[in-house]
Amino acid sequence: MPEPAPSPRTDAAPALVVHDIPAPRTRLSGRAPSRPPAGAAFHTVSAAATLLVVLVAIGTVIHEPVLIPPLAASAALVHGAPTLSLSQPRNVILGHLLGAATGYAVLATVGSSPWATALAGAATIALTLLARAPHSPACATPVVVVLQHPAPQYFVPLLAGACALLVLGEYTASRIRRGAPAYPAYWW
């Protein structure tokens, strides 16, 4: 005869809850998500590409790079998965600004090296989690700061403006296409 299932413990400590991370599933579905409809995919790619081109154009006009690799990754998240908490305006904007601040702090205290970039990336993960604004592409922003030493008086406002443009672009795109998920789920 099979053994009965153990009863749940009532004296157990409460489970650790991490911000916006769902409880683990006991079984994986075994399949990747289905492809989005062609119209939805076209809309997503078009909106992201348009915003990336706008960032390049702005950078060309002002002779400063506005499109940096972390922002391209942010565009992929914001436009490709607009309902995720990682894609919400608070996470995008605050995450990148915390990443930049961390990069400048590490650069000032440790200098520029591959070790410093690892430290800055890890510190950004910690800070964004503490600020309840995790945004994975923002962890690459301090790497840009530590390795390229951009002038903060130019870099930070351009970064904030580019993040705001990404957010406003998806806000607009989500209202143009019928059936698109409403973006954002929350502003701040």
Side-chain angles (χ1 to χ4, degrees), residues 106-121:
V106 168
L107 184 61
T109 57
V110 181
S112 180
S113 74
W115 301 104
T117 61
L119 173 65

Side-chain angles (χ1 to χ4, degrees), residues 43-141:
H43 175 78
T44 297
V45 172
S46 297
T50 300
L51 283 166
L52 294 175
V53 167
V54 166
L55 291 177
V56 169
I58 292 169
T60 301
V61 168
I62 65 172
H63 305 292
E64 288 286 334
V66 177
L67 179 61
I68 58 172
L71 291 177
S74 291
L77 256 179
V78 168
H79 292 286
T83 59
L84 290 180
S85 65
L86 294 173
S87 301
Q88 301 310 307
R90 171 190 175 86
N91 299 57
V92 175
I93 297 168
L94 188 56
H96 280 291
L97 292 177
L98 285 171
T102 303
Y104 285 114
V106 168
L107 184 61
T109 57
V110 181
S112 180
S113 74
W115 301 104
T117 61
L119 173 65
T124 298
I125 293 169
L127 287 173
T128 58
L129 287 173
L130 286 172
R132 296 175 313 134
H135 181 67
S136 47
C139 296
T141 298

Side-chain angles (χ1 to χ4, degrees), residues 34-44 177:
S34 60
R35 282 191 185 101
F42 178 77
H43 175 78
T44 297
R177 187 177 146 266

Side-chain angles (χ1 to χ4, degrees), residues 5 23 26 30 49 51 59 93 113 122-123 134 151 153 156 164 169 178-179 185:
T26 54
L51 283 166
I93 297 168
S113 74
Q153 67 270 24
V156 174
R178 261 183 225 220

Side-chain angles (χ1 to χ4, degrees), residues 18-32:
V18 179
H19 176 68
D20 282 334
I21 298 176
R25 295 181 185 174
T26 54
R27 288 180 43 184
L28 294 176
S29 67
R31 297 187 319 197

